[in-house]
């Protein structure tokens, strides 16, 4: 009975990944993080910066709260949006979430 126990204990333990395996695993993890999280987020941020930089009078936009209107005035950090006849609101440029094609507000 004792020799069976001694031979079971003498079996070598399985080894983990070597240094090269760990580097490959870590590099793969960084690539996955880059392509699934960082790259899409920076792409969206660049598109939003381009949208804000290209705002001009007469553009039809939607702001973050879902309010649609036509831009009447553009300042450094703010835009004035006409949301109804003789109703204008001032919002920060960063609040603009999308630009609409011309004539969209007439269809609504």
């Amino acid at each position: 009975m004792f020799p069976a126990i001694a031979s079971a204990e003498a079996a070598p333990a399985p080894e983990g990944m070597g240094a090269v395996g760990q580097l490959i695993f870590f590099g793969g993890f960084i690539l996955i993080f880059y392509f699934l999280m960082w790259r899409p987020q920076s792409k969206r941020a660049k598109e939003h910066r381009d949208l804000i930089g290209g705002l001009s009078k007469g553009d039809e936009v939607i702001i973050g709260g879902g309010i649609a209107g036509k831009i009447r005035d553009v300042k450094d950090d703010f835009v004035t949006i006409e949301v109804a006849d003789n109703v204008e609101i001032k919002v920060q440029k960063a609040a603009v979430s999308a630009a609409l094609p011309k004539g969209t507000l007439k269809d609504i």
Side-chain angles (χ1 to χ4, degrees):
M1 185 161 163
F2 291 112
I5 293 173
S7 65
E9 290 177 9
E15 294 185 24
M17 286 190 285
V20 175
Q22 288 179 352
L23 286 175
I24 291 172
F25 180 76
F26 186 65
F29 183 75
I30 289 177
L31 283 174
I32 290 171
F33 181 77
Y34 174 76
F35 282 111
L36 292 179
M37 295 180 70
W38 192 12
R39 185 172 177 244
Q41 186 174 5
S42 15
K43 186 177 179 182
R44 267 185 257 122
K46 181 183 177 202
E47 289 172 355
H48 192 252
R49 273 194 312 270
D50 294 342
L51 171 70
I52 289 173
L55 293 176
S56 63
K57 185 176 178 177
D59 287 346
E60 297 176 359
V61 295
I62 294 181
I63 61 174
I67 299 173
K70 185 180 273 192
I71 295 179
R72 291 294 173 205
D73 189 27
V74 179
K75 299 284 185 185
D76 291 334
D77 293 329
F78 290 89
V79 293
T80 303
I81 300 175
E82 182 180 20
V83 294
D85 293 334
N86 297 324
V87 179
E88 295 181 349
I89 58 174
K90 290 184 181 182
V91 296
Q92 288 183 330
K93 281 185 175 181
V96 175
S97 61
L100 300 171
K102 299 280 184 184
T104 303
L105 293 178
K106 291 181 183 178
D107 295 338
I108 298 177

